[in-house]
Amino acid sequence: MASDKITGYRVMFRMGRFDMNVYMKQEYYENWKDVRDKKIKDVSIEEVTMHANQFIG
């Protein structure tokens, strides 16, 4: 159903040797970007629309 879809962020960054792709709701990302581990650098985000249950936060 279209009503189950929301807009959030695909957050991409490297963690050691791994490329991380985390899907976050907008409110969760706003909090995460201020409290994330300072070793996480070069974060890029992409706005995506997906089913709400595929996001964290």
Side-chain angles (χ1 to χ4, degrees):
M1 278 201 249
S3 62
D4 292 333
K5 292 191 175 188
I6 63 170
T7 299
Y9 297 119
R10 175 182 176 203
V11 182
M12 301 162 280
F13 56 91
R14 287 195 58 82
M15 184 174 277
R17 61 182 177 161
F18 300 102
D19 291 327
M20 304 297 294
N21 293 300
V22 182
Y23 295 89
M24 300 181 189
K25 292 180 182 175
Q26 292 173 341
E27 301 82 22
Y28 191 87
Y29 173 74
E30 294 300 322
N31 184 47
W32 178 86
K33 72 180 183 180
D34 296 327
V35 298
R36 71 175 187 238
D37 188 332
K38 298 306 176 201
K39 293 179 185 175
I40 299 175
K41 300 184 187 302
D42 298 326
V43 176
S44 60
I45 64 169
E46 175 184 342
E47 195 170 275
V48 295
T49 301
M50 300 176 6
H51 289 282
N53 64 357
Q54 295 177 301
F55 290 96
I56 62 170

